[in-house]
Amino acid sequence: MSAGGLPPDRLVALLRTMLLIRAFEELADELFAQGRVHGTMHLSVGQEAVAAGVCAALQPGDYILSTHRGHGHCLAKGADVRRMMAEFLGKATGYCRGRGGSMHIADVAGGNLGANGIVAGGLPIATGVGLSIRLRRSGQVCVAFFGDGAANEGAFHEALNLASIWELPVLFVCENNQYAMSMPVGRAMRVARVSDRAAAYGMPGVTADGMDVVAVYTVATELVARARQGGGPALLECVTYRYRGHSKSDRQRYRAREEVEAWRARDPIDRLRARLLAAGVLSAAAANQLAAEARAAVAAALAFAEASPEPDPATLLEGVYA
Amino acid sequence: MSTATGGTEVGVRELSYAEAIREALRQAMHADERVILLGEDIGVYGGAFGVTDGLLEEFGPERVRDTPISEAAITGCAIGAAVTGLRPVVEIQFMDFITLAMEQLVLQAAKMRYMFGGTVTVPMVLRTPAGAGTGAAAQHSGSLEAWFAHVPGLKVVAPATPADAKALLLAAIADPNPVIVVEHKLLYRTRGPVPEAPAPAPLGVAAVRREGRDVTVVATSVMVPRALTAAERLAAEGVDVEVVDLRTLRPLDAETPAASARKTGRVVVVYEAVKTLGIGAEVAARLVEGETFYHLKAPVVRLGGAECPIPYNRTLERAAVPQEEDIVAAVRQVLAEG
């Protein structure tokens, strides 16, 4: 079996990535419910195909910039789940030494230039990363993840325009999960698709099924290759859905339970698993084993994080300046 | 490096403040190919105030990049380039326009290093002309430096002389942190001796521009030459004024003003931005919350901008920011009070 030009082992790897993201966030949710997390968090449960599919299209040396809903991007880009969990719990061993938390996890060595608490805040920065790649002739590509809400910020317009006129190797990936907090995408803009806006910047705009990891991977691969070859930026809209609320304070008055259930029926993990089972790539036992491994990995990460020290208040001012 | 010959050091020429900035940019770009320039009209046009004149011809459009009118994108672009290996120098055409880039500067550039646990550096520079006096009215005459000096993660310099304009800009470019260089529009044509060699001045160190016994005037940017002229007037009346140029607003050198205050016992702080909650409040507070307080013979006087936007009319505009005669009056006031 191969789909999107991917051999079976790559498809299994995509499944493994999505299972890890799901397991991380389900455990995160549980920790929050138990009052073991300080602060808030934004879960991407339901959106795993976008992170997994796009990051699978990248080389290890490529860059991503992530969003406040960034756990999936971080893991898909190859972050160490133990250091991520430690950051989630604010520990000294976390990626940001406890200074960033869920909303600002960065794995700079792994090419993840950080999750961002300001929607569209990362887009102009991604354009600058693209400029740097171009001037250093390093052959890398930069992906900027953002949500449908960010597409209505001014920074979106400025960043896409600048990247386009300078033909920079940046892929702008919109995770259209249907809601900017409570604002439905259809009430927040008059165009049918976020990708329609690409025309205004003279770049390709493509909409992909964000609940199908192979579809996301296929189109991302094409656009990343184009950017790497000097073809310039593109706007990829992945239509997806978040099953959970915007953040922990969300009572979800703006949508019906039936709507959530309808999207759950298209779950990206279930879909890929079913495909792999049908093709005989995976047995049911092997699929269950993958899920169990993901849960074990995050459980081990939690143990690591819990055994890690709190940051020392004496280090409070470290890192403000270089 | 320099030898005194007939009162002029070798390699020290008279340059304007604008020429001194240009020389710093040229030297930094020659020394390090990672240094690039970004901004509106900085190429063929040469910059709204002519600072980047000729740099496009010298370094080409890859490194001297004219941008669309997109302050947020220009600033964010510098951040992204800086964290991935370049040393961008942005020009924001008027300091007021920084409001359009506020999020990128304050929420991204300033916080990125700390938020990410020290794993990135953001070696970018943002140059911008500030200040009143050109009849440009309320949206083109701002002095917003206190906003940025309030933000941990940023550095803010405000050179008052051509030599400092060069030396502090070179230091800003070499610095691994985001640095905002506040240039004053009225200073661009002022001339002074500037060493030819590319010698950065350390950030966070104030300078005593004129020694005196009776009163200390702590000044920033264009208020420095204004204070020096006021000091000459007062000298004719037998009042000996010491003038301290802060040069850097963050990190703030509190010790140089304090040392001067301990000597003179009387302090006037003068700055162009709106007086309330400004740099002067910080300087005055540092003087009175420490040991220096016991050396003061009179209350500290703050002289700042009026509590209004900068008006268009020449007379009103003049009245909105401290002038030489206001500094003279403030010095007389601290003398009268003790």
Side-chain angles (χ1 to χ4, degrees), chain B residues 296-326:
Chain B
L296 294 177
K297 298 171 192 159
V300 175
V301 169
R302 278 184 301 148
L303 193 55
E307 305 296 317
C308 62
I310 300 298
Y312 167 67
N313 171 275
R314 188 187 294 274
T315 308
L316 293 179
E317 184 187 34
R318 222 175 162 278
V321 297
Q323 303 296 331
E324 188 187 310
E325 59 270 25
D326 301 314

PDB file of all heavy atoms in Angstrom, chain B residues 296-326:
ATOM      1  N   LEU B 296      21.321  66.167  48.338  1.00  0.00           N
ATOM      2  CA  LEU B 296      20.550  67.169  47.595  1.00  0.00           C
ATOM      3  C   LEU B 296      20.267  68.391  48.468  1.00  0.00           C
ATOM      4  O   LEU B 296      19.856  68.264  49.617  1.00  0.00           O
ATOM      5  CB  LEU B 296      19.237  66.565  47.086  1.00  0.00           C
ATOM      6  CG  LEU B 296      19.383  65.451  46.037  1.00  0.00           C
ATOM      7  CD1 LEU B 296      18.004  64.889  45.661  1.00  0.00           C
ATOM      8  CD2 LEU B 296      20.105  65.953  44.788  1.00  0.00           C
ATOM      9  N   LYS B 297      20.480  69.574  47.842  1.00  0.00           N
ATOM     10  CA  LYS B 297      20.216  70.823  48.570  1.00  0.00           C
ATOM     11  C   LYS B 297      18.851  71.395  48.197  1.00  0.00           C
ATOM     12  O   LYS B 297      18.410  72.369  48.801  1.00  0.00           O
ATOM     13  CB  LYS B 297      21.293  71.852  48.223  1.00  0.00           C
ATOM     14  CG  LYS B 297      22.697  71.416  48.623  1.00  0.00           C
ATOM     15  CD  LYS B 297      23.728  72.377  48.039  1.00  0.00           C
ATOM     16  CE  LYS B 297      25.134  71.816  48.176  1.00  0.00           C
ATOM     17  NZ  LYS B 297      26.056  72.435  47.214  1.00  0.00           N
ATOM     18  N   ALA B 298      18.240  70.831  47.161  1.00  0.00           N
ATOM     19  CA  ALA B 298      16.943  71.339  46.701  1.00  0.00           C
ATOM     20  C   ALA B 298      16.192  70.185  46.039  1.00  0.00           C
ATOM     21  O   ALA B 298      16.816  69.223  45.599  1.00  0.00           O
ATOM     22  CB  ALA B 298      17.152  72.465  45.683  1.00  0.00           C
ATOM     23  N   PRO B 299      14.865  70.283  45.990  1.00  0.00           N
ATOM     24  CA  PRO B 299      14.107  69.241  45.286  1.00  0.00           C
ATOM     25  C   PRO B 299      14.538  69.148  43.823  1.00  0.00           C
ATOM     26  O   PRO B 299      14.875  70.149  43.204  1.00  0.00           O
ATOM     27  CB  PRO B 299      12.649  69.727  45.394  1.00  0.00           C
ATOM     28  CG  PRO B 299      12.639  70.695  46.532  1.00  0.00           C
ATOM     29  CD  PRO B 299      13.995  71.327  46.555  1.00  0.00           C
ATOM     30  N   VAL B 300      14.503  67.927  43.284  1.00  0.00           N
ATOM     31  CA  VAL B 300      14.815  67.724  41.865  1.00  0.00           C
ATOM     32  C   VAL B 300      13.701  68.355  41.024  1.00  0.00           C
ATOM     33  O   VAL B 300      12.523  68.240  41.358  1.00  0.00           O
ATOM     34  CB  VAL B 300      14.911  66.214  41.559  1.00  0.00           C
ATOM     35  CG1 VAL B 300      15.120  65.964  40.064  1.00  0.00           C
ATOM     36  CG2 VAL B 300      16.031  65.575  42.373  1.00  0.00           C
ATOM     37  N   VAL B 301      14.097  69.012  39.952  1.00  0.00           N
ATOM     38  CA  VAL B 301      13.106  69.603  39.042  1.00  0.00           C
ATOM     39  C   VAL B 301      13.074  68.797  37.760  1.00  0.00           C
ATOM     40  O   VAL B 301      14.110  68.509  37.166  1.00  0.00           O
ATOM     41  CB  VAL B 301      13.461  71.074  38.721  1.00  0.00           C
ATOM     42  CG1 VAL B 301      12.582  71.598  37.579  1.00  0.00           C
ATOM     43  CG2 VAL B 301      13.280  71.942  39.957  1.00  0.00           C
ATOM     44  N   ARG B 302      11.854  68.402  37.348  1.00  0.00           N
ATOM     45  CA  ARG B 302      11.686  67.713  36.060  1.00  0.00           C
ATOM     46  C   ARG B 302      11.152  68.687  35.042  1.00  0.00           C
ATOM     47  O   ARG B 302      10.188  69.415  35.312  1.00  0.00           O
ATOM     48  CB  ARG B 302      10.668  66.582  36.182  1.00  0.00           C
ATOM     49  CG  ARG B 302      11.197  65.305  36.750  1.00  0.00           C
ATOM     50  CD  ARG B 302      10.118  64.248  36.735  1.00  0.00           C
ATOM     51  NE  ARG B 302       8.952  64.655  37.514  1.00  0.00           N
ATOM     52  CZ  ARG B 302       7.709  64.300  37.219  1.00  0.00           C
ATOM     53  NH1 ARG B 302       7.447  63.554  36.160  1.00  0.00           N
ATOM     54  NH2 ARG B 302       6.712  64.696  37.963  1.00  0.00           N
ATOM     55  N   LEU B 303      11.771  68.671  33.876  1.00  0.00           N
ATOM     56  CA  LEU B 303      11.333  69.537  32.792  1.00  0.00           C
ATOM     57  C   LEU B 303      11.059  68.627  31.595  1.00  0.00           C
ATOM     58  O   LEU B 303      11.984  68.075  30.998  1.00  0.00           O
ATOM     59  CB  LEU B 303      12.475  70.512  32.484  1.00  0.00           C
ATOM     60  CG  LEU B 303      12.221  71.717  31.625  1.00  0.00           C
ATOM     61  CD1 LEU B 303      11.089  72.553  32.181  1.00  0.00           C
ATOM     62  CD2 LEU B 303      13.499  72.553  31.571  1.00  0.00           C
ATOM     63  N   GLY B 304       9.775  68.428  31.286  1.00  0.00           N
ATOM     64  CA  GLY B 304       9.427  67.542  30.174  1.00  0.00           C
ATOM     65  C   GLY B 304       8.457  68.214  29.234  1.00  0.00           C
ATOM     66  O   GLY B 304       8.118  69.392  29.388  1.00  0.00           O
ATOM     67  N   GLY B 305       8.006  67.442  28.242  1.00  0.00           N
ATOM     68  CA  GLY B 305       7.059  67.969  27.274  1.00  0.00           C
ATOM     69  C   GLY B 305       5.714  68.262  27.910  1.00  0.00           C
ATOM     70  O   GLY B 305       5.361  67.711  28.952  1.00  0.00           O
ATOM     71  N   ALA B 306       4.970  69.163  27.246  1.00  0.00           N
ATOM     72  CA  ALA B 306       3.638  69.528  27.739  1.00  0.00           C
ATOM     73  C   ALA B 306       2.676  68.349  27.589  1.00  0.00           C
ATOM     74  O   ALA B 306       2.914  67.434  26.804  1.00  0.00           O
ATOM     75  CB  ALA B 306       3.111  70.734  26.963  1.00  0.00           C
ATOM     76  N   GLU B 307       1.576  68.400  28.353  1.00  0.00           N
ATOM     77  CA  GLU B 307       0.609  67.295  28.368  1.00  0.00           C
ATOM     78  C   GLU B 307      -0.372  67.429  27.208  1.00  0.00           C
ATOM     79  O   GLU B 307      -1.584  67.542  27.410  1.00  0.00           O
ATOM     80  CB  GLU B 307      -0.121  67.271  29.710  1.00  0.00           C
ATOM     81  CG  GLU B 307       0.813  67.205  30.921  1.00  0.00           C
ATOM     82  CD  GLU B 307       1.646  65.923  30.979  1.00  0.00           C
ATOM     83  OE1 GLU B 307       1.099  64.841  30.720  1.00  0.00           O
ATOM     84  OE2 GLU B 307       2.863  66.038  31.266  1.00  0.00           O
ATOM     85  N   CYS B 308       0.170  67.434  25.994  1.00  0.00           N
ATOM     86  CA  CYS B 308      -0.693  67.537  24.810  1.00  0.00           C
ATOM     87  C   CYS B 308       0.029  66.903  23.623  1.00  0.00           C
ATOM     88  O   CYS B 308       1.241  66.731  23.665  1.00  0.00           O
ATOM     89  CB  CYS B 308      -1.017  68.998  24.500  1.00  0.00           C
ATOM     90  SG  CYS B 308       0.434  69.999  24.118  1.00  0.00           S
ATOM     91  N   PRO B 309      -0.724  66.534  22.579  1.00  0.00           N
ATOM     92  CA  PRO B 309      -0.042  66.133  21.342  1.00  0.00           C
ATOM     93  C   PRO B 309       0.757  67.327  20.808  1.00  0.00           C
ATOM     94  O   PRO B 309       0.468  68.475  21.164  1.00  0.00           O
ATOM     95  CB  PRO B 309      -1.192  65.772  20.400  1.00  0.00           C
ATOM     96  CG  PRO B 309      -2.375  65.547  21.290  1.00  0.00           C
ATOM     97  CD  PRO B 309      -2.174  66.476  22.467  1.00  0.00           C
ATOM     98  N   ILE B 310       1.741  67.069  19.954  1.00  0.00           N
ATOM     99  CA  ILE B 310       2.541  68.174  19.422  1.00  0.00           C
ATOM    100  C   ILE B 310       1.693  68.968  18.414  1.00  0.00           C
ATOM    101  O   ILE B 310       1.193  68.410  17.437  1.00  0.00           O
ATOM    102  CB  ILE B 310       3.825  67.645  18.734  1.00  0.00           C
ATOM    103  CG1 ILE B 310       4.689  66.871  19.746  1.00  0.00           C
ATOM    104  CG2 ILE B 310       4.605  68.797  18.099  1.00  0.00           C
ATOM    105  CD1 ILE B 310       5.196  67.689  20.914  1.00  0.00           C
ATOM    106  N   PRO B 311       1.490  70.267  18.688  1.00  0.00           N
ATOM    107  CA  PRO B 311       0.670  71.083  17.781  1.00  0.00           C
ATOM    108  C   PRO B 311       1.463  71.539  16.546  1.00  0.00           C
ATOM    109  O   PRO B 311       2.688  71.533  16.551  1.00  0.00           O
ATOM    110  CB  PRO B 311       0.283  72.273  18.643  1.00  0.00           C
ATOM    111  CG  PRO B 311       1.317  72.355  19.707  1.00  0.00           C
ATOM    112  CD  PRO B 311       1.991  71.023  19.842  1.00  0.00           C
ATOM    113  N   TYR B 312       0.722  71.968  15.522  1.00  0.00           N
ATOM    114  CA  TYR B 312       1.347  72.388  14.264  1.00  0.00           C
ATOM    115  C   TYR B 312       1.973  73.769  14.365  1.00  0.00           C
ATOM    116  O   TYR B 312       3.122  73.970  13.961  1.00  0.00           O
ATOM    117  CB  TYR B 312       0.289  72.360  13.154  1.00  0.00           C
ATOM    118  CG  TYR B 312       0.736  73.055  11.904  1.00  0.00           C
ATOM    119  CD1 TYR B 312       1.778  72.521  11.140  1.00  0.00           C
ATOM    120  CD2 TYR B 312       0.154  74.250  11.482  1.00  0.00           C
ATOM    121  CE1 TYR B 312       2.223  73.167  10.000  1.00  0.00           C
ATOM    122  CE2 TYR B 312       0.595  74.895  10.347  1.00  0.00           C
ATOM    123  CZ  TYR B 312       1.622  74.352   9.607  1.00  0.00           C
ATOM    124  OH  TYR B 312       2.060  74.985   8.485  1.00  0.00           O
ATOM    125  N   ASN B 313       1.217  74.724  14.859  1.00  0.00           N
ATOM    126  CA  ASN B 313       1.656  76.123  14.896  1.00  0.00           C
ATOM    127  C   ASN B 313       3.033  76.252  15.553  1.00  0.00           C
ATOM    128  O   ASN B 313       3.296  75.670  16.600  1.00  0.00           O
ATOM    129  CB  ASN B 313       0.621  76.941  15.668  1.00  0.00           C
ATOM    130  CG  ASN B 313       1.115  78.357  15.938  1.00  0.00           C
ATOM    131  OD1 ASN B 313       1.824  78.575  16.913  1.00  0.00           O
ATOM    132  ND2 ASN B 313       0.767  79.285  15.076  1.00  0.00           N
ATOM    133  N   ARG B 314       3.917  77.043  14.919  1.00  0.00           N
ATOM    134  CA  ARG B 314       5.307  77.126  15.357  1.00  0.00           C
ATOM    135  C   ARG B 314       5.438  77.569  16.825  1.00  0.00           C
ATOM    136  O   ARG B 314       6.219  77.002  17.582  1.00  0.00           O
ATOM    137  CB  ARG B 314       6.067  78.100  14.449  1.00  0.00           C
ATOM    138  CG  ARG B 314       7.563  78.117  14.679  1.00  0.00           C
ATOM    139  CD  ARG B 314       8.240  79.212  13.891  1.00  0.00           C
ATOM    140  NE  ARG B 314       8.183  79.021  12.460  1.00  0.00           N
ATOM    141  CZ  ARG B 314       9.072  78.297  11.759  1.00  0.00           C
ATOM    142  NH1 ARG B 314      10.081  77.729  12.378  1.00  0.00           N
ATOM    143  NH2 ARG B 314       8.965  78.183  10.460  1.00  0.00           N
ATOM    144  N   THR B 315       4.645  78.560  17.187  1.00  0.00           N
ATOM    145  CA  THR B 315       4.726  79.072  18.559  1.00  0.00           C
ATOM    146  C   THR B 315       4.228  78.037  19.565  1.00  0.00           C
ATOM    147  O   THR B 315       4.822  77.819  20.618  1.00  0.00           O
ATOM    148  CB  THR B 315       3.901  80.372  18.691  1.00  0.00           C
ATOM    149  OG1 THR B 315       4.326  81.246  17.645  1.00  0.00           O
ATOM    150  CG2 THR B 315       4.097  81.028  20.032  1.00  0.00           C
ATOM    151  N   LEU B 316       3.121  77.385  19.190  1.00  0.00           N
ATOM    152  CA  LEU B 316       2.580  76.360  20.076  1.00  0.00           C
ATOM    153  C   LEU B 316       3.546  75.175  20.169  1.00  0.00           C
ATOM    154  O   LEU B 316       3.761  74.596  21.243  1.00  0.00           O
ATOM    155  CB  LEU B 316       1.223  75.865  19.562  1.00  0.00           C
ATOM    156  CG  LEU B 316       0.064  76.867  19.591  1.00  0.00           C
ATOM    157  CD1 LEU B 316      -1.200  76.213  19.027  1.00  0.00           C
ATOM    158  CD2 LEU B 316      -0.189  77.376  21.009  1.00  0.00           C
ATOM    159  N   GLU B 317       4.108  74.799  19.030  1.00  0.00           N
ATOM    160  CA  GLU B 317       5.022  73.656  19.007  1.00  0.00           C
ATOM    161  C   GLU B 317       6.223  73.922  19.922  1.00  0.00           C
ATOM    162  O   GLU B 317       6.662  73.056  20.686  1.00  0.00           O
ATOM    163  CB  GLU B 317       5.496  73.399  17.572  1.00  0.00           C
ATOM    164  CG  GLU B 317       6.387  72.157  17.445  1.00  0.00           C
ATOM    165  CD  GLU B 317       6.981  72.005  16.056  1.00  0.00           C
ATOM    166  OE1 GLU B 317       7.284  73.034  15.410  1.00  0.00           O
ATOM    167  OE2 GLU B 317       7.161  70.860  15.615  1.00  0.00           O
ATOM    168  N   ARG B 318       6.739  75.137  19.837  1.00  0.00           N
ATOM    169  CA  ARG B 318       7.872  75.534  20.660  1.00  0.00           C
ATOM    170  C   ARG B 318       7.513  75.454  22.139  1.00  0.00           C
ATOM    171  O   ARG B 318       8.307  75.033  22.979  1.00  0.00           O
ATOM    172  CB  ARG B 318       8.255  76.981  20.297  1.00  0.00           C
ATOM    173  CG  ARG B 318       9.737  77.191  20.196  1.00  0.00           C
ATOM    174  CD  ARG B 318      10.095  78.592  19.732  1.00  0.00           C
ATOM    175  NE  ARG B 318      11.489  78.795  20.093  1.00  0.00           N
ATOM    176  CZ  ARG B 318      11.899  79.157  21.291  1.00  0.00           C
ATOM    177  NH1 ARG B 318      11.022  79.430  22.239  1.00  0.00           N
ATOM    178  NH2 ARG B 318      13.194  79.278  21.556  1.00  0.00           N
ATOM    179  N   ALA B 319       6.276  75.853  22.425  1.00  0.00           N
ATOM    180  CA  ALA B 319       5.825  75.852  23.820  1.00  0.00           C
ATOM    181  C   ALA B 319       5.594  74.432  24.350  1.00  0.00           C
ATOM    182  O   ALA B 319       5.542  74.214  25.557  1.00  0.00           O
ATOM    183  CB  ALA B 319       4.535  76.674  23.943  1.00  0.00           C
ATOM    184  N   ALA B 320       5.479  73.471  23.449  1.00  0.00           N
ATOM    185  CA  ALA B 320       5.130  72.107  23.866  1.00  0.00           C
ATOM    186  C   ALA B 320       6.325  71.307  24.355  1.00  0.00           C
ATOM    187  O   ALA B 320       6.160  70.277  25.003  1.00  0.00           O
ATOM    188  CB  ALA B 320       4.440  71.368  22.713  1.00  0.00           C
ATOM    189  N   VAL B 321       7.532  71.746  23.998  1.00  0.00           N
ATOM    190  CA  VAL B 321       8.722  70.998  24.433  1.00  0.00           C
ATOM    191  C   VAL B 321       9.709  71.959  25.093  1.00  0.00           C
ATOM    192  O   VAL B 321       9.742  73.151  24.770  1.00  0.00           O
ATOM    193  CB  VAL B 321       9.403  70.245  23.259  1.00  0.00           C
ATOM    194  CG1 VAL B 321       8.478  69.199  22.669  1.00  0.00           C
ATOM    195  CG2 VAL B 321       9.873  71.191  22.190  1.00  0.00           C
ATOM    196  N   PRO B 322      10.517  71.465  26.028  1.00  0.00           N
ATOM    197  CA  PRO B 322      11.433  72.359  26.734  1.00  0.00           C
ATOM    198  C   PRO B 322      12.394  73.062  25.779  1.00  0.00           C
ATOM    199  O   PRO B 322      12.959  72.446  24.882  1.00  0.00           O
ATOM    200  CB  PRO B 322      12.189  71.407  27.668  1.00  0.00           C
ATOM    201  CG  PRO B 322      11.274  70.251  27.866  1.00  0.00           C
ATOM    202  CD  PRO B 322      10.571  70.083  26.553  1.00  0.00           C
ATOM    203  N   GLN B 323      12.565  74.357  25.985  1.00  0.00           N
ATOM    204  CA  GLN B 323      13.482  75.177  25.198  1.00  0.00           C
ATOM    205  C   GLN B 323      14.627  75.635  26.102  1.00  0.00           C
ATOM    206  O   GLN B 323      14.569  75.473  27.319  1.00  0.00           O
ATOM    207  CB  GLN B 323      12.750  76.392  24.608  1.00  0.00           C
ATOM    208  CG  GLN B 323      11.545  76.038  23.749  1.00  0.00           C
ATOM    209  CD  GLN B 323      11.917  75.260  22.484  1.00  0.00           C
ATOM    210  OE1 GLN B 323      13.015  75.405  21.940  1.00  0.00           O
ATOM    211  NE2 GLN B 323      11.004  74.407  22.028  1.00  0.00           N
ATOM    212  N   GLU B 324      15.622  76.239  25.462  1.00  0.00           N
ATOM    213  CA  GLU B 324      16.789  76.707  26.204  1.00  0.00           C
ATOM    214  C   GLU B 324      16.381  77.600  27.388  1.00  0.00           C
ATOM    215  O   GLU B 324      16.893  77.434  28.502  1.00  0.00           O
ATOM    216  CB  GLU B 324      17.663  77.486  25.209  1.00  0.00           C
ATOM    217  CG  GLU B 324      19.007  77.888  25.710  1.00  0.00           C
ATOM    218  CD  GLU B 324      19.660  78.804  24.676  1.00  0.00           C
ATOM    219  OE1 GLU B 324      19.676  78.429  23.481  1.00  0.00           O
ATOM    220  OE2 GLU B 324      20.114  79.888  25.062  1.00  0.00           O
ATOM    221  N   GLU B 325      15.446  78.521  27.149  1.00  0.00           N
ATOM    222  CA  GLU B 325      15.060  79.428  28.231  1.00  0.00           C
ATOM    223  C   GLU B 325      14.340  78.696  29.366  1.00  0.00           C
ATOM    224  O   GLU B 325      14.417  79.109  30.525  1.00  0.00           O
ATOM    225  CB  GLU B 325      14.213  80.604  27.705  1.00  0.00           C
ATOM    226  CG  GLU B 325      12.932  80.224  26.994  1.00  0.00           C
ATOM    227  CD  GLU B 325      13.126  80.035  25.480  1.00  0.00           C
ATOM    228  OE1 GLU B 325      14.260  79.736  25.047  1.00  0.00           O
ATOM    229  OE2 GLU B 325      12.129  80.176  24.760  1.00  0.00           O
ATOM    230  N   ASP B 326      13.663  77.610  29.025  1.00  0.00           N
ATOM    231  CA  ASP B 326      13.012  76.811  30.076  1.00  0.00           C
ATOM    232  C   ASP B 326      14.060  76.133  30.957  1.00  0.00           C
ATOM    233  O   ASP B 326      13.879  76.006  32.172  1.00  0.00           O
ATOM    234  CB  ASP B 326      12.113  75.734  29.459  1.00  0.00           C
ATOM    235  CG  ASP B 326      11.023  76.317  28.578  1.00  0.00           C
ATOM    236  OD1 ASP B 326      10.383  77.293  29.021  1.00  0.00           O
ATOM    237  OD2 ASP B 326      10.834  75.825  27.454  1.00  0.00           O
TER     238      ASP B 326
END
